[in-house]
Amino acid sequence: MKAIIYRDHGGPDVLQFVERDRPTPEPGEVRVRVAVSGVNPTDWQARTGVAHRKLFPEITPHLDGAGVVDAVGEGVDPGRVGQRVWLFMAAAGRPTGTAAEFTVVPADQAVPLPDEAGFDVGASLGVPALTAHRALTVAEDGPRRLRPGALDGRVVLAAGGAGAVGHAVIQLARWAGATVIATVSGPEKAALATAAGAHHTVNYREGDQAAAAIRAIAPDGVDVVAEVALGANLALDLAVLRTRGTIATYANEGGHPVELNVGQHMVLNTRLQFLVLYTAGPQARATAVEDVTAAIRDGALPVGEAHGLPLLRFPLRRTADAHRAVEAGAIGKVLVDVMP
Ligand SMILES: NC(=O)c1ccc[n+]([C@@H]2O[C@H](COP(=O)([O-])OP(=O)(O)OC[C@H]3O[C@@H](n4cnc5c(N)ncnc54)[C@H](OP(=O)(O)O)[C@@H]3O)[C@@H](O)[C@H]2O)c1
């Protein structure tokens, strides 16, 4: 099979396009013929070694993807062969990511892909949708699960709503009934966040005006902020958060130091929740997978420019260019076409 591998940490040039034997599924695993592989910032961060050191001599990158189950290991229902699936965390603590014609994953990380969704949707879900789900389910007063109506009456602020995770936050929050406000850096991003389903967009670069604009939309304050740039935005979040509101942060884009106004956060009874998918735990991931699958069935998670997430495609042999695009902050979702 054709596969992308790297043996040493480094820039995109460490990625090699090679021929390898098909992997064999171990007990409890499935082998998937990959159609589309999804690229996330964590994939290039893993490749460089900034996120964590590699555990295997040779690694095929990428956590997310979509394809068709082609073989099963002992203990897995053979009826799954031929099933269309979406994959998450394929390369997490394993050497077999989705940037290859075949990958093997634990059976529960290959989730049946509803007929309503194509492989592009399937390959765009994993990291963004599961992270977004967690951000929307950690508030003190719940909900712990998402479904239509679960966020009725709540106001969600998707910081950086035109990013891949921000896009999933908007879509899931909207599906669950929230009023959704997205912050963006300008008109192009505002158009994308609106196409994704945001009711309102606010330019976060407009300082005090941004807080005033959000307060005008939500006079009682925001219930949940899904935050991509904690250091840069904490003052804004504090200015718009309601009492006992939640700031769920999954990144610190820009790397600004985080300065906590302890007194004001105490007065607000703020919940500040940090998130990372790898350590969210099996229970949180399993419920996220179920809810995300229900959202797919409802047609709530479309991708593509018309839905606020332009797709940038690369063939498997050009995976290094796909990494360069993500690293350079490409607008939209970067996909690698594995199956011709
Ligand atoms: N903790 C986790 O489990 C987890 C999971 C997924 C992703 N992440 C991390 O989250 C980050 C985003 O991932 P992604 O895939 O969504 O990337 P992406 O598609 O490149 O989106 C990043 C977004 O951040 C926005 N942004 C940057 N600075 C901002 C600021 N000061 N205020 C508001 N928005 C700002 C950008 O919008 P503008 O261009 O308009 O500024 C852009 O839309 C990455 O660092 C990634 O590693 C963490």
Side-chain angles (χ1 to χ4, degrees), residues 17-337:
F17 183 62
V18 299
E19 198 65 48
R20 285 288 178 275
D21 292 337
R22 291 181 188 185
T24 304
E26 297 291 327
E29 294 181 343
V30 296
R31 183 172 69 195
V32 175
R33 183 179 172 89
V34 181
V36 182
S37 175
V39 193
N40 292 285
T42 189
D43 296 316
W44 69 258
Q45 290 158 5
R47 187 205 70 223
T48 60
V50 292
H52 31 76
R53 305 302 297 174
K54 71 189 197 40
L55 303 170
F56 306 94
E58 182 176 298
I59 289 183
T60 288
H62 301 177
L63 298 174
D64 297 346
V68 177
V69 174
D70 136 280
V72 299
E74 197 185 311
V76 179
D77 175 9
R80 292 200 64 182
V81 172
Q83 188 176 57
R84 298 164 73 251
V85 290
W86 59 280
L87 309 174
F88 65 93
M89 290 180 63
R94 303 169 58 88
T96 47
T98 63
E101 289 181 310
F102 294 87
T103 185
V104 285
V105 292
D108 63 351
Q109 288 171 225
V111 187
L113 184 62
D115 293 342
E116 294 82 353
F119 290 134
D120 289 353
V121 167
S124 304
L125 293 171
V127 169
L130 300 181
T131 302
H133 183 281
R134 181 138 174 84
L136 295 171
T137 53
V138 291
E140 183 180 353
D141 301 327
R144 292 284 168 269
R145 300 293 299 257
L146 296 184
R147 59 177 67 89
L151 289 171
D152 275 359
R154 311 283 175 91
V155 180
V156 168
L157 177 61
V165 178
H167 179 262
V169 169
I170 293 171
Q171 289 184 318
L172 284 173
R174 181 80 197 241
W175 172 66
T179 295
V180 183
I181 306 169
T183 58
V184 293
S185 57
E188 186 193 359
K189 300 280 181 92
L192 291 173
T194 302
H199 296 93
H200 309 275
T201 60
V202 170
N203 189 328
Y204 69 80
R205 291 187 175 155
E206 288 177 354
D208 292 346
Q209 285 180 43
I214 294 168
R215 277 282 175 190
I217 298 162
D220 294 336
V222 167
D223 294 273
V224 177
V225 183
E227 184 54 76
V228 67
L230 187 64
N233 291 331
L234 192 52
L236 171 64
D237 296 346
L238 184 59
V240 300
L241 202 66
R242 73 175 303 157
T243 309
R244 298 173 66 238
T246 298
I247 301 168
T249 184
Y250 57 91
N252 190 24
E253 292 286 288
H256 295 277
V258 174
E259 280 181 36
L260 268 182
N261 184 328
V262 175
Q264 277 195 45
H265 280 293
M266 283 197 308
V267 167
L268 276 182
N269 256 284
T270 304
R271 175 175 285 210
L272 177 54
Q273 171 82 48
F274 293 86
L275 332 167
V276 72
L277 206 52
Y278 298 102
T279 51
Q283 184 59 37
R285 281 196 298 268
T287 53
V289 163
E290 280 180 23
D291 294 351
V292 166
T293 300
I296 304 168
R297 243 183 230 115
D298 284 354
L301 301 177
V303 298
E305 181 133 24
H307 304 290
L309 193 71
L311 301 178
L312 285 84
R313 319 192 74 97
F314 295 85
L316 183 62
R317 67 166 64 242
R318 287 186 54 213
T319 296
D321 287 335
H323 277 220
R324 287 185 186 97
V326 176
E327 216 166 326
I331 298 172
K333 184 73 202 176
V334 173
L335 297 177
V336 169
D337 287 307

